[in-house]
Amino acid sequence: DNGFIDDVEGYVLIDWASEVISNDMLDDHGHGTHLSGIIAAQRNGVGITGIQPNAKILPLKVFNRFGKGKQLEAALAIRYAVDNGAHIINCSWGYSKKTKVLEDAIIYAQDHDVIVVAAVGNRGTDDVLYPASFEGVIGVGSVDEDMNKEWYSNYGRHVDFSAFGSQVYSSLPSNRYGPMTGTSQSAAIISGILSSIKAYQPSLTSQELYSLMQQSSSSPVVKGADKGHGMPLALGLLAEFDIEAETFDLVDKKTGKDDKDEQILSRVLNAPNPVKGTSTTVFFTAKKENLTIIVEVYKMDGTQILEASSQSVKGNNSINLDLTDMMNGVYPYTVRIEESGFSEVEKGLCVILR
Protein backbone atom coordinates (compact mmCIF):
# COMPACT_ATOMS: atom_id res chain seq x y z
CA ASP A 1 0.00 0.00 0.00
CA ASN A 2 1.71 3.18 -1.21
CA GLY A 3 -1.29 5.51 -1.02
CA PHE A 4 -2.04 5.38 -4.76
CA ILE A 5 -5.22 3.49 -5.53
CA ASP A 6 -5.04 0.65 -8.12
CA ASP A 7 -1.61 1.69 -9.47
CA VAL A 8 -0.69 -1.85 -10.53
CA GLU A 9 0.27 -0.71 -14.04
CA GLY A 10 1.62 2.77 -13.32
CA TYR A 11 -0.11 6.05 -12.66
CA VAL A 12 -1.32 9.21 -14.38
CA LEU A 13 -0.27 12.41 -12.64
CA ILE A 14 -1.54 14.95 -15.16
CA ASP A 15 -3.29 17.83 -13.37
CA TRP A 16 -2.43 16.36 -9.99
CA ALA A 17 -2.92 19.77 -8.36
CA SER A 18 -6.52 19.73 -9.59
CA GLU A 19 -6.94 16.17 -8.29
CA VAL A 20 -7.51 14.90 -11.83
CA ILE A 21 -5.51 11.69 -11.51
CA SER A 22 -6.10 8.06 -12.48
CA ASN A 23 -4.53 4.69 -13.20
CA ASP A 24 -5.58 4.68 -16.88
CA MET A 25 -2.22 4.37 -18.66
CA LEU A 26 -3.56 4.72 -22.23
CA ASP A 27 -0.85 6.35 -24.36
CA ASP A 28 -2.71 8.93 -26.43
CA HIS A 29 0.52 10.51 -27.72
CA GLY A 30 2.77 7.58 -28.69
CA HIS A 31 6.03 8.96 -27.38
CA GLY A 32 6.18 6.86 -24.23
CA THR A 33 5.28 3.62 -26.01
CA HIS A 34 8.05 4.20 -28.53
CA LEU A 35 10.66 4.76 -25.81
CA SER A 36 9.47 1.77 -23.78
CA GLY A 37 9.92 -0.43 -26.83
CA ILE A 38 13.48 0.76 -27.38
CA ILE A 39 14.33 -0.09 -23.80
CA ALA A 40 12.38 -3.23 -23.06
CA ALA A 41 10.33 -4.69 -25.93
CA GLN A 42 10.08 -8.44 -25.37
CA ARG A 43 11.92 -10.99 -27.48
CA ASN A 44 8.83 -12.69 -28.88
CA GLY A 45 9.37 -12.64 -32.64
CA VAL A 46 6.94 -9.76 -33.12
CA GLY A 47 7.97 -6.24 -34.07
CA ILE A 48 11.24 -5.36 -32.34
CA THR A 49 13.32 -6.53 -29.39
CA GLY A 50 14.38 -3.95 -26.82
CA ILE A 51 17.90 -3.48 -25.55
CA GLN A 52 16.94 -5.11 -22.23
CA PRO A 53 13.89 -7.30 -22.89
CA ASN A 54 13.75 -8.38 -19.25
CA ALA A 55 13.54 -4.85 -17.91
CA LYS A 56 10.40 -3.92 -16.00
CA ILE A 57 8.82 -0.66 -17.11
CA LEU A 58 7.02 1.54 -14.58
CA PRO A 59 4.94 3.88 -16.78
CA LEU A 60 4.13 7.27 -15.29
CA LYS A 61 2.14 9.73 -17.35
CA VAL A 62 2.67 13.44 -16.77
CA PHE A 63 2.14 14.82 -20.30
CA ASN A 64 -1.13 15.12 -22.19
CA ARG A 65 -1.82 14.06 -25.77
CA PHE A 66 -0.20 17.26 -27.00
CA GLY A 67 3.01 16.56 -25.11
CA LYS A 68 2.38 19.28 -22.54
CA GLY A 69 2.83 18.92 -18.78
CA LYS A 70 3.84 20.76 -15.65
CA GLN A 71 7.08 20.45 -13.71
CA LEU A 72 5.16 19.76 -10.51
CA GLU A 73 3.67 16.58 -11.93
CA ALA A 74 7.01 15.59 -13.45
CA ALA A 75 8.67 16.01 -10.06
CA LEU A 76 5.97 13.95 -8.37
CA ALA A 77 6.45 11.19 -10.95
CA ILE A 78 10.19 11.09 -10.25
CA ARG A 79 9.57 10.78 -6.52
CA TYR A 80 6.91 8.13 -7.14
CA ALA A 81 9.37 6.12 -9.26
CA VAL A 82 12.06 6.30 -6.57
CA ASP A 83 9.65 5.30 -3.81
CA ASN A 84 8.43 2.33 -5.85
CA GLY A 85 11.81 0.80 -6.55
CA ALA A 86 12.94 2.22 -9.90
CA HIS A 87 16.68 1.91 -10.59
CA ILE A 88 16.77 4.06 -13.74
CA ILE A 89 14.48 6.96 -14.65
CA ASN A 90 14.32 7.88 -18.33
CA CYS A 91 13.34 11.52 -18.84
CA SER A 92 12.94 11.96 -22.59
CA TRP A 93 11.53 15.41 -22.05
CA GLY A 94 12.73 18.77 -20.79
CA TYR A 95 11.89 22.29 -19.68
CA SER A 96 13.75 25.45 -20.60
CA LYS A 97 13.29 26.94 -17.14
CA LYS A 98 14.65 25.50 -13.92
CA THR A 99 12.42 25.08 -10.89
CA LYS A 100 13.35 24.03 -7.39
CA VAL A 101 10.54 21.48 -7.25
CA LEU A 102 12.03 19.55 -10.18
CA GLU A 103 15.59 19.98 -8.96
CA ASP A 104 14.67 18.68 -5.51
CA ALA A 105 13.05 15.62 -7.09
CA ILE A 106 16.26 14.91 -9.04
CA ILE A 107 18.31 15.25 -5.86
CA TYR A 108 15.88 12.91 -4.12
CA ALA A 109 16.49 10.31 -6.82
CA GLN A 110 20.26 10.72 -6.63
CA ASP A 111 20.21 10.46 -2.84
CA HIS A 112 18.63 7.02 -3.34
CA ASP A 113 21.27 6.05 -5.96
CA VAL A 114 18.71 6.10 -8.77
CA ILE A 115 20.14 6.93 -12.20
CA VAL A 116 18.41 9.72 -14.10
CA VAL A 117 18.85 9.84 -17.90
CA ALA A 118 17.50 12.83 -19.84
CA ALA A 119 17.31 14.05 -23.43
CA VAL A 120 19.15 17.33 -24.06
CA GLY A 121 16.67 18.66 -26.63
CA ASN A 122 16.06 18.95 -30.37
CA ARG A 123 16.63 22.62 -31.15
CA GLY A 124 20.15 22.28 -32.54
CA THR A 125 21.39 24.99 -30.16
CA ASP A 126 23.29 25.22 -26.90
CA ASP A 127 20.06 25.96 -25.03
CA VAL A 128 19.89 24.10 -21.74
CA LEU A 129 16.95 21.94 -20.77
CA TYR A 130 16.04 20.49 -17.41
CA PRO A 131 16.44 17.87 -16.02
CA ALA A 132 19.29 17.14 -18.48
CA SER A 133 21.27 20.16 -17.21
CA PHE A 134 20.95 19.34 -13.52
CA GLU A 135 24.13 18.15 -11.81
CA GLY A 136 24.47 14.37 -11.88
CA VAL A 137 21.85 13.75 -14.56
CA ILE A 138 23.09 11.87 -17.64
CA GLY A 139 22.32 14.21 -20.54
CA VAL A 140 22.04 12.47 -23.92
CA GLY A 141 22.38 13.93 -27.41
CA SER A 142 22.09 12.37 -30.85
CA VAL A 143 24.70 11.31 -33.41
CA ASP A 144 24.44 9.90 -36.92
CA GLU A 145 25.95 6.70 -38.30
CA ASP A 146 29.27 8.50 -38.85
CA MET A 147 29.27 9.55 -35.18
CA ASN A 148 28.75 13.20 -36.06
CA LYS A 149 26.33 15.29 -34.02
CA GLU A 150 22.88 15.31 -35.55
CA TRP A 151 21.76 18.72 -36.78
CA TYR A 152 18.81 18.82 -34.39
CA SER A 153 20.68 17.72 -31.25
CA ASN A 154 21.36 20.37 -28.63
CA TYR A 155 24.96 20.69 -27.49
CA GLY A 156 26.93 22.09 -24.59
CA ARG A 157 28.31 21.16 -21.18
CA HIS A 158 25.13 19.28 -20.28
CA VAL A 159 25.71 16.58 -22.92
CA ASP A 160 27.33 13.55 -21.28
CA PHE A 161 26.84 10.89 -23.96
CA SER A 162 25.32 10.51 -27.41
CA ALA A 163 23.51 7.74 -29.26
CA PHE A 164 21.67 7.20 -32.52
CA GLY A 165 18.52 9.26 -32.71
CA SER A 166 17.27 9.37 -36.30
CA GLN A 167 14.55 7.09 -37.64
CA VAL A 168 14.74 4.73 -34.65
CA TYR A 169 12.23 1.94 -35.17
CA SER A 170 10.13 0.90 -32.19
CA SER A 171 6.66 0.13 -30.87
CA LEU A 172 3.65 2.43 -31.17
CA PRO A 173 0.16 2.34 -29.64
CA SER A 174 -2.48 -0.02 -31.06
CA ASN A 175 0.03 -2.79 -31.83
CA ARG A 176 1.85 -0.75 -34.45
CA TYR A 177 5.53 -0.09 -35.13
CA GLY A 178 7.35 2.79 -36.73
CA PRO A 179 10.29 5.22 -36.63
CA MET A 180 10.73 8.36 -34.54
CA THR A 181 13.59 10.83 -34.42
CA GLY A 182 15.10 12.86 -31.59
CA THR A 183 17.28 12.95 -28.52
CA SER A 184 14.39 11.24 -26.73
CA GLN A 185 15.18 8.07 -28.65
CA SER A 186 18.90 8.49 -27.93
CA ALA A 187 18.19 8.79 -24.20
CA ALA A 188 16.13 5.60 -24.30
CA ILE A 189 19.04 3.74 -25.92
CA ILE A 190 21.37 4.85 -23.13
CA SER A 191 18.76 3.87 -20.52
CA GLY A 192 18.48 0.44 -22.13
CA ILE A 193 22.24 -0.08 -22.04
CA LEU A 194 22.40 0.99 -18.40
CA SER A 195 19.52 -1.34 -17.59
CA SER A 196 21.36 -4.27 -19.18
CA ILE A 197 24.46 -3.65 -17.09
CA LYS A 198 22.48 -3.02 -13.91
CA ALA A 199 20.55 -6.26 -14.39
CA TYR A 200 23.78 -8.20 -14.64
CA GLN A 201 25.63 -6.44 -11.81
CA PRO A 202 22.99 -4.91 -9.47
CA SER A 203 25.61 -3.82 -6.94
CA LEU A 204 27.11 -1.24 -9.29
CA THR A 205 26.49 2.30 -8.08
CA SER A 206 25.38 5.18 -10.27
CA GLN A 207 28.94 6.51 -10.32
CA GLU A 208 30.35 3.14 -11.33
CA LEU A 209 27.80 2.77 -14.12
CA TYR A 210 28.63 6.24 -15.41
CA SER A 211 32.32 5.38 -15.35
CA LEU A 212 31.73 2.16 -17.30
CA MET A 213 29.84 4.13 -19.94
CA GLN A 214 32.60 6.72 -20.03
CA GLN A 215 35.30 4.08 -20.27
CA SER A 216 33.63 2.45 -23.26
CA SER A 217 32.88 5.67 -25.13
CA SER A 218 34.68 7.14 -28.11
CA SER A 219 36.08 9.99 -25.98
CA PRO A 220 36.58 8.53 -22.49
CA VAL A 221 38.76 11.29 -21.02
CA VAL A 222 37.76 14.49 -22.84
CA LYS A 223 34.12 15.56 -22.71
CA GLY A 224 33.33 17.49 -25.88
CA ALA A 225 30.74 20.24 -26.15
CA ASP A 226 28.91 18.67 -29.06
CA LYS A 227 28.71 14.97 -28.17
CA GLY A 228 29.92 14.73 -24.56
CA HIS A 229 32.00 11.59 -24.20
CA GLY A 230 30.51 10.35 -27.45
CA MET A 231 28.60 7.16 -28.04
CA PRO A 232 29.29 4.22 -25.76
CA LEU A 233 30.50 1.21 -27.71
CA ALA A 234 27.44 -0.78 -26.74
CA LEU A 235 28.51 -4.14 -28.09
CA GLY A 236 31.87 -3.98 -26.37
CA LEU A 237 30.40 -2.66 -23.15
CA LEU A 238 27.64 -5.25 -22.97
CA ALA A 239 30.11 -7.99 -23.84
CA GLU A 240 32.00 -7.08 -20.69
CA PHE A 241 28.79 -7.73 -18.75
CA ASP A 242 27.16 -10.45 -20.83
CA ILE A 243 24.36 -12.03 -18.82
CA GLU A 244 25.45 -15.39 -20.24
CA ALA A 245 28.97 -14.96 -18.90
CA GLU A 246 28.24 -17.01 -15.79
CA THR A 247 27.62 -20.18 -17.81
CA PHE A 248 30.82 -22.01 -18.68
CA ASP A 249 31.65 -25.56 -19.67
CA LEU A 250 35.21 -26.45 -18.66
CA VAL A 251 34.96 -30.00 -19.96
CA ASP A 252 35.54 -30.86 -23.59
CA LYS A 253 32.28 -32.54 -24.59
CA LYS A 254 34.11 -34.86 -27.01
CA THR A 255 36.96 -36.07 -24.76
CA GLY A 256 35.55 -35.40 -21.28
CA LYS A 257 38.88 -33.79 -20.30
CA ASP A 258 39.56 -30.38 -18.84
CA ASP A 259 40.81 -27.95 -21.43
CA LYS A 260 43.80 -26.39 -19.63
CA ASP A 261 44.74 -24.46 -22.78
CA GLU A 262 41.50 -22.51 -22.72
CA GLN A 263 41.64 -18.92 -21.52
CA ILE A 264 40.56 -18.77 -17.87
CA LEU A 265 40.42 -15.00 -17.32
CA SER A 266 38.46 -12.60 -19.51
CA ARG A 267 36.40 -9.41 -19.55
CA VAL A 268 38.80 -7.43 -17.37
CA LEU A 269 37.94 -3.80 -16.61
CA ASN A 270 37.68 -1.49 -13.65
CA ALA A 271 35.02 0.94 -12.51
CA PRO A 272 34.84 3.76 -11.82
CA ASN A 273 37.39 4.68 -14.44
CA PRO A 274 38.50 7.45 -14.52
CA VAL A 275 38.56 7.40 -10.71
CA LYS A 276 37.46 10.58 -8.95
CA GLY A 277 37.29 9.14 -5.44
CA THR A 278 39.55 6.89 -3.39
CA SER A 279 38.78 3.44 -4.78
CA THR A 280 37.96 1.42 -7.86
CA THR A 281 36.82 -2.14 -8.44
CA VAL A 282 38.44 -4.52 -10.92
CA PHE A 283 35.86 -6.78 -12.55
CA PHE A 284 36.74 -9.97 -14.43
CA THR A 285 35.32 -13.31 -15.42
CA ALA A 286 36.93 -16.61 -14.40
CA LYS A 287 36.17 -20.03 -15.85
CA LYS A 288 37.43 -21.89 -12.77
CA GLU A 289 36.81 -21.51 -9.06
CA ASN A 290 39.23 -21.50 -6.11
CA LEU A 291 42.11 -19.96 -8.05
CA THR A 292 44.24 -17.29 -6.39
CA ILE A 293 43.80 -14.13 -8.46
CA ILE A 294 46.22 -11.27 -7.92
CA VAL A 295 45.78 -7.68 -9.13
CA GLU A 296 49.00 -5.65 -9.33
CA VAL A 297 49.06 -1.92 -10.05
CA TYR A 298 52.13 -0.20 -11.50
CA LYS A 299 53.49 3.25 -12.21
CA MET A 300 54.24 4.04 -15.84
CA ASP A 301 57.93 3.33 -15.15
CA GLY A 302 57.08 -0.26 -14.20
CA THR A 303 57.32 0.13 -10.42
CA GLN A 304 54.69 -1.93 -8.60
CA ILE A 305 52.81 0.18 -6.07
CA LEU A 306 49.73 -1.84 -5.11
CA GLU A 307 48.61 -5.46 -4.83
CA ALA A 308 45.32 -7.13 -3.93
CA SER A 309 44.10 -10.70 -4.23
CA SER A 310 41.12 -13.00 -3.80
CA GLN A 311 39.96 -16.55 -4.53
CA SER A 312 38.01 -16.86 -7.75
CA VAL A 313 34.49 -18.10 -8.19
CA LYS A 314 33.23 -19.57 -11.43
CA GLY A 315 31.75 -16.64 -13.32
CA ASN A 316 31.91 -12.99 -12.38
CA ASN A 317 34.47 -11.70 -9.88
CA SER A 318 35.57 -8.39 -8.43
CA ILE A 319 38.48 -7.09 -6.38
CA ASN A 320 38.35 -3.67 -4.74
CA LEU A 321 41.43 -1.43 -4.84
CA ASP A 322 42.11 1.30 -2.28
CA LEU A 323 43.67 4.22 -4.18
CA THR A 324 43.67 6.72 -1.32
CA ASP A 325 47.43 7.30 -1.39
CA MET A 326 47.77 7.46 -5.18
CA MET A 327 48.12 10.67 -7.16
CA ASN A 328 46.37 11.67 -10.39
CA GLY A 329 47.75 9.78 -13.36
CA VAL A 330 47.57 6.69 -15.54
CA TYR A 331 48.34 3.34 -13.92
CA PRO A 332 48.65 0.01 -15.76
CA TYR A 333 47.50 -3.05 -13.84
CA THR A 334 47.56 -6.79 -14.34
CA VAL A 335 45.15 -9.52 -13.29
CA ARG A 336 46.96 -12.84 -13.06
CA ILE A 337 46.43 -16.38 -11.84
CA GLU A 338 48.73 -17.50 -9.03
CA GLU A 339 48.21 -21.25 -9.16
CA SER A 340 50.24 -24.33 -10.10
CA GLY A 341 49.45 -25.47 -13.62
CA PHE A 342 48.02 -22.12 -14.72
CA SER A 343 49.87 -19.16 -16.20
CA GLU A 344 47.71 -16.33 -17.43
CA VAL A 345 47.85 -12.55 -17.23
CA GLU A 346 45.29 -9.96 -18.37
CA LYS A 347 46.01 -6.23 -18.46
CA GLY A 348 44.08 -3.05 -17.82
CA LEU A 349 44.57 0.68 -17.43
CA CYS A 350 43.30 2.77 -14.52
CA VAL A 351 43.06 6.57 -14.74
CA ILE A 352 42.84 8.76 -11.62
CA LEU A 353 41.39 12.23 -12.23
CA ARG A 354 40.40 13.88 -8.96
Side-chain angles (χ1 to χ4, degrees):
D1 182 9
N2 58 10
F4 292 83
I5 299 174
D6 295 332
D7 62 335
V8 293
E9 294 181 347
Y11 217 67
V12 179
L13 291 158
I14 300 174
D15 290 332
W16 178 87
S18 302
E19 297 185 357
V20 183
I21 55 178
S22 76
N23 62 345
D24 181 6
M25 292 306 302
L26 175 67
D27 185 357
D28 52 6
H29 185 275
H31 189 254
T33 300
H34 200 264
L35 303 176
S36 297
I38 293 171
I39 296 170
Q42 294 184 353
R43 186 181 289 108
N44 57 11
V46 179
I48 64 161
T49 299
I51 297 173
Q52 171 51 291
N54 295 320
K56 185 176 182 180
I57 297 292
L58 172 59
L60 296 173
K61 186 174 179 180
V62 296
F63 299 98
N64 61 24
R65 62 192 179 94
F66 303 109
K68 303 295 184 182
K70 301 181 181 68
Q71 292 200 38
L72 171 62
E73 282 81 18
L76 288 170
I78 290 171
R79 290 178 177 272
Y80 178 101
V82 174
D83 292 343
N84 285 276
H87 298 289
I88 300 168
I89 299 176
N90 184 84
C91 301
S92 286
W93 45 266
Y95 297 92
S96 58
K97 294 184 179 180
K98 178 173 66 173
T99 63
K100 192 172 188 306
V101 66
L102 184 58
E103 185 174 19
D104 286 347
I106 294 297
I107 293 172
Y108 183 74
Q110 293 168 345
D111 286 345
H112 289 78
D113 201 36
V114 175
I115 304 162
V116 181
V117 180
V120 299
N122 303 320
R123 299 174 182 174
T125 70
D126 61 354
D127 292 347
V128 297
L129 290 183
Y130 301 93
S133 294
F134 284 131
E135 184 71 24
V137 173
I138 298 178
V140 182
S142 296
V143 292
D144 60 22
E145 293 182 357
D146 296 321
M147 299 300 165
N148 297 315
K149 185 187 80 68
E150 287 282 14
W151 64 270
Y152 54 80
S153 180
N154 281 11
Y155 55 89
R157 60 172 181 79
H158 51 293
V159 182
D160 293 289
F161 299 101
S162 297
F164 297 134
S166 294
Q167 295 296 295
V168 179
Y169 193 80
S170 185
S171 52
L172 294 169
S174 302
N175 296 317
R176 296 179 297 116
Y177 299 88
M180 285 189 178
T181 293
T183 56
S184 288
Q185 281 62 38
S186 303
I189 290 173
I190 296 298
S191 291
I193 294 173
L194 287 166
S195 177
S196 294
I197 303 170
K198 186 73 173 177
Y200 175 70
Q201 192 73 35
S203 63
L204 288 173
T205 66
S206 298
Q207 181 187 3
E208 288 172 333
L209 284 164
Y210 185 99
S211 295
L212 285 170
M213 297 278 286
Q214 182 178 343
Q215 181 178 340
S216 72
S217 296
S218 53
S219 180
V221 177
V222 179
K223 181 180 173 182
D226 56 346
K227 298 178 293 185
H229 290 293
M231 182 170 176
L233 305 177
L235 293 179
L237 178 60
L238 296 180
E240 299 290 352
F241 287 89
D242 188 349
I243 197 66
E244 301 296 327
E246 293 185 11
T247 304
F248 293 106
D249 188 355
L250 296 177
V251 178
D252 188 307
K253 294 181 180 179
K254 294 181 180 179
T255 65
K257 297 179 180 179
D258 290 346
D259 186 1
K260 292 291 184 68
D261 295 328
E262 187 177 3
Q263 183 178 352
I264 302 299
L265 296 177
S266 63
R267 299 182 173 94
V268 173
L269 78 163
N270 67 291
N273 192 26
V275 180
K276 297 182 180 180
T278 59
S279 66
T280 190
T281 301
V282 176
F283 296 93
F284 59 93
T285 299
K287 290 189 176 182
K288 192 173 179 64
E289 61 185 5
N290 297 323
L291 294 176
T292 300
I293 308 295
I294 299 178
V295 176
E296 296 168 327
V297 183
Y298 299 86
K299 292 182 179 179
M300 292 301 289
D301 63 5
T303 305
Q304 182 181 334
I305 55 175
L306 185 63
E307 180 178 308
S309 64
S310 71
Q311 295 297 116
S312 67
V313 297
K314 183 181 176 182
N316 305 296
N317 294 257
S318 63
I319 297 178
N320 188 67
L321 301 179
D322 184 356
L323 310 179
T324 303
D325 297 328
M326 294 172 59
M327 305 294 290
N328 285 358
V330 179
Y331 297 90
Y333 65 87
T334 61
V335 180
R336 64 181 177 88
I337 301 174
E338 183 74 11
E339 202 77 31
S340 176
F342 293 93
S343 178
E344 189 175 325
V345 178
E346 295 295 319
K347 299 177 181 179
L349 205 62
C350 178
V351 179
I352 300 178
L353 289 175
R354 297 192 181 106

